[in-house]
Structure formats: structure tokens, C-alpha cells
Amino acid sequence: MRKTFKGLLSVAIIGICALNTTSCSNKKFNVEGQISNAADSVLYFENVGLEGISIIDSVKLSDKGDFSFSEEAPTAPEFYRLRISDQIINVSIDSTETVTIKAQYPQMATQYEISGSENCAIIKELTLKQINLHQQAMAIQENTALGVDEANDSILKIIDVYKEDVKTNYIFKEPMKAYSYFALFQTLGNWLLFNPRSNKDDIKVFAAVATSWDTYYPHAERGQNLHNIAIEGMKNMRITQGESGQTIDASKIEEAGVLDIALQDNHGQIRHLTDLKGKVVLLDFHIFAMDESPARILLLRELYNKYAAQGFEIYQVSLDSDEHFWKQQTAALPWINVRDEDGINSQRLMLYNIQSIPDYFIIDRGNNLIKRASQMKDLEAEIKKLL
């Protein structure tokens, strides 16, 4: 690791890119401002897409350094950057907003003012944090009093502190935001700080953002990409566990459009959400101890009785703390009832971005999460469309 970090202070921003999603309408966004001390320099406006970085427009700056770029507004958050030589300012756009930037060359990458976008302001904040992390890592690397193992351990510790800060104060706080997506792909040298290929906790971070984007931007290429990364990460972890001697069911290693839940049902059997592929599923998060539970269960009974024969299923996740009470309440229910013993502290609530209980999702026959409660005016109509 020590060799890997040395000399690698370039700030890579979005290492795993997505297709550029733009609107077919004439709505525009604007990125404008002024970069001083850059007369005769070429300022490039580039799209940071998952197929690579592409130049959209450019301008040769005058003595004043004024610039203005205008493009079609995207239908979901998209990422761009301003660049002169190796100096880069990252920008996210999710509407017809106007983002204004004032900077001074050649320190424009770190010393700039930005207004008109909360996401862009926080992306700047995250970028500065990332640069500071690089500087700390290099200081440790260059400390000759430290041995190789000691230096690497120290670097790993500051990385862990950094990740905890970013997870808690940025990503989990608002996983649907562009800046949370941005944070997923920050690097230290050539290393992704959040690595869903080999770290099960990092998979959860990717999954939280993926699920949130499924909800807020259901057709966005970036959201679908995140989902695929999270699923692939889970597959890799299962394979690793299998190689280490743990029992693994090879049939469970498959691409899916929904994050699996595997919990014990009220009959003592482990039930996987992904085993329901081929059915239209209502994934329901519920607390039976709530006052409104009886009325809600009656409504679910009506739906189940009406559509179960056509391939409709309910996978109900209870967050009740009292297991005996839960078993009593579910004894006569005909659908799948599982209980998460972690209750309201469950990681699954984080993965599915559950903000309040009850909440539910509709999943199609292909195991793809289609909509969540806030996106549906008529649950029964949504079920009928998918059957």
C-alpha cells in the first residue's frame, strides 16, 4: 500500500461513470461565472459520464475571465466539470438551475466560490475534505520514522475516520442527493475509499444510495448502475465466504433488481425476498404494535385475497421488539411474515431508505423494485398493472 499512495495526489472524482441522461425538452441549465488570472487560457466544460469524460463546450478566457455555458437540463442528477489544464471544479446539475462560480487561476480547484446549488456547495466541501485526506496520507508516507507496516496502519486508520464522517454526515443523511453519489466514488490515489467489491459495509453504503435513487429517479442510468454495483458486490462477498469454507447456495448468486432480505419467518424458516422472483411482491415494513396496524392489516388481507391467485405475494418485515406478540399477530396471516430482531435500528431500513413506518415497495415479476409508497396514489392499481 505504501508504494501505491506515494505521489498519487490527483483527485479522481467519479471513477465509475454512467451514461449521460439529458432531457428531450428545451429546458436549460447554466454554469457561469468568472475565473481571473487566466487570460488566453482555454476553459473546458466537460460531462463526467460513465462512458468517460467528454468535452461539451469550451471558451478562450479574456482578461476578465467571464464564461457562460448552457445545456439541456438532465432528467436526473448529472455531473460536469470546469477544467483548465489539470485544475478542476466539479459541478452537479439536477434541474434548470443556474450555478455561478468565481475562482482564481491557478488555484481554482481549491479556492473558488460557488452559488446557486446546495449540491455543488457540498461537493466542494467533500472535495476539500478529500484533498486534506490525501495530504494526511502523504505526510504519513513521508514520515521516515515510521516503518512500512506502521505507516500503512496509520493510513488505514485515517481512511476509516474519513469514511465514517462521510457516511454519517453526508451519504446516510441524504442518500438521494447528487453529493452522496459523488462521495461514493472518492479515491485515495488509485484506491476507491468505498469499495463495494470487497467490503460488506461499503456495499451497504452503495445500496443505500442505489435504493434512494430507485425511488427518486426510477429510470436514471446512474441509479441502475449503483444497483448493479451493489448486487455484484454482494455476489462477490458470497463467493468469498464460500471459498473460506462457509456453506453457500449457488442458486442465490444471480443478478437481481432488488436488494435481498433473508429473515426467519413466523414458522422458523429463512425466507429470501429474491426467492419470490416470478411474482408481483408487496415488500412491506410494518410494526404490529402500532395503533393503526389492525386496520392496515385488513386492507392488506383484501388485496391478498383478491390477487394472490394471480401471482401476488406480500413479504412483510416486522420491526416489533416483542417476538411472542409478533407471532400471535401473524399466526393467521396467509402471506410471508418475517421479523427483523434489530427493530427500528435495522440496517435494512438504511438500505431501503425507510424514513417512517409503515412503508412499502412494489416489486415486479423480474425482482425489480418499481415504486415505493410515496410514488403510488393507488396501490391496487399498481398491483393490477404488474400482474
Side-chain angles (χ1 to χ4, degrees), residues 125-329:
E125 191 176 308
L126 286 165
T127 299
L128 295 179
K129 281 178 173 286
Q130 182 188 19
I131 290 172
N132 182 58
L133 177 66
H134 277 254
Q135 292 172 343
Q136 290 182 60
M138 287 305 299
I140 293 171
Q141 181 70 48
E142 293 169 0
N143 186 346
T144 56
L146 298 176
V148 173
D149 291 340
E150 191 176 2
N152 287 341
D153 287 344
S154 297
I155 290 173
L156 290 174
K157 286 178 182 177
I158 65 171
I159 289 174
D160 287 342
V161 171
Y162 183 89
K163 288 171 64 176
E164 189 62 33
D165 172 34
V166 172
K167 282 193 297 187
T168 304
N169 298 314
Y170 296 90
I171 297 175
F172 290 158
K173 184 178 178 182
E174 292 185 299
M176 79 295 295
K177 295 289 189 177
Y179 69 73
S180 293
Y181 183 104
F182 175 91
L184 291 177
F185 297 103
Q186 288 191 302
T187 63
L188 181 59
N190 290 332
W191 294 75
L192 273 174
L193 294 172
F194 294 99
N195 187 353
R197 306 298 183 192
S198 59
N199 186 309
K200 64 180 181 180
D201 291 329
D202 292 351
I203 293 171
K204 294 175 182 178
V205 180
F206 269 78
V209 179
T211 302
S212 188
W213 277 54
D214 282 344
T215 299
Y216 287 88
Y217 318 108
H219 303 296
E221 294 284 353
R222 288 188 183 274
Q224 294 171 20
N225 182 65
L226 287 180
H227 222 125
N228 290 337
I229 292 171
I231 294 295
E232 187 66 26
M234 287 189 285
K235 285 171 57 181
N236 289 343
M237 291 305 297
R238 288 169 182 161
I239 291 170
T240 300
Q241 290 169 353
E243 291 175 347
S244 66
Q246 297 184 32
T247 303
I248 185 167
D249 183 351
S251 68
K252 299 298 188 299
I253 305 177
E254 60 179 345
E255 291 295 331
V258 66
L259 299 171
D260 193 22
I261 296 175
L263 289 169
Q264 193 172 84
D265 69 10
N266 50 353
H267 302 294
Q269 294 182 308
I270 296 296
R271 305 299 296 269
H272 285 264
L273 176 61
T274 50
D275 283 347
L276 299 177
K277 187 173 183 178
K279 293 191 174 186
V280 173
V281 180
L282 175 68
L283 170 60
D284 186 61
F285 291 86
H286 187 78
I287 296 178
F288 284 89
M290 296 177 70
D291 291 340
E292 60 268 31
S293 176
R296 189 164 180 274
I297 293 300
L298 283 176
L299 291 174
L300 292 181
R301 269 187 176 276
E302 289 182 15
L303 288 173
Y304 190 85
N305 292 341
K306 197 170 183 179
Y307 298 108
Q310 299 177 44
F312 173 62
E313 184 58 85
I314 298 174
Y315 187 98
Q316 190 164 48
V317 181
S318 164
L319 302 164
D320 289 271
S321 58
D322 187 332
E323 183 178 6
H324 180 69
F325 172 78
W326 164 69
K327 285 184 175 180
Q328 285 183 321
Q329 295 297 309

